[in-house]
Amino acid sequence: LLGWALSWYVEIDAAALILALVPGGIAEMAITAKVLGLAVPFVTALQVSRMLCVVLTTGWLYRRFIADAKPKR
């Protein structure tokens, strides 16, 4: 839904944006983009960026919300 909405504001194909933003494997999304004739470098770059954001924020989110919520003994 976000990819479709963004396609109204930027000049990138909605299908490429959807593949770039959907959670899934980087390789699978790149192969799907290639088969569909979409912007493979764009899809791959956004998938890598998404994965990097997840990896860099997961530890902080865990410490901030989960570890602090556990009862202290």
Side-chain angles (χ1 to χ4, degrees), residues 8-64:
W8 286 88
Y9 297 105
V10 296
E11 295 182 14
I12 299 175
D13 186 35
L17 277 168
I18 291 169
L19 280 179
L21 296 173
V22 70
I26 296 169
E28 290 81 4
M29 294 303 133
I31 291 169
T32 304
K34 183 172 176 70
V35 168
L36 294 175
L38 301 172
V40 176
F42 176 74
V43 170
T44 304
L46 257 65
Q47 285 287 330
V48 169
S49 299
R50 186 184 59 79
M51 182 62 71
L52 189 61
C53 287
V54 168
V55 168
L56 292 177
T57 60
T58 301
W60 178 81
L61 288 170
Y62 175 78
R63 287 189 302 274
R64 174 74 170 96

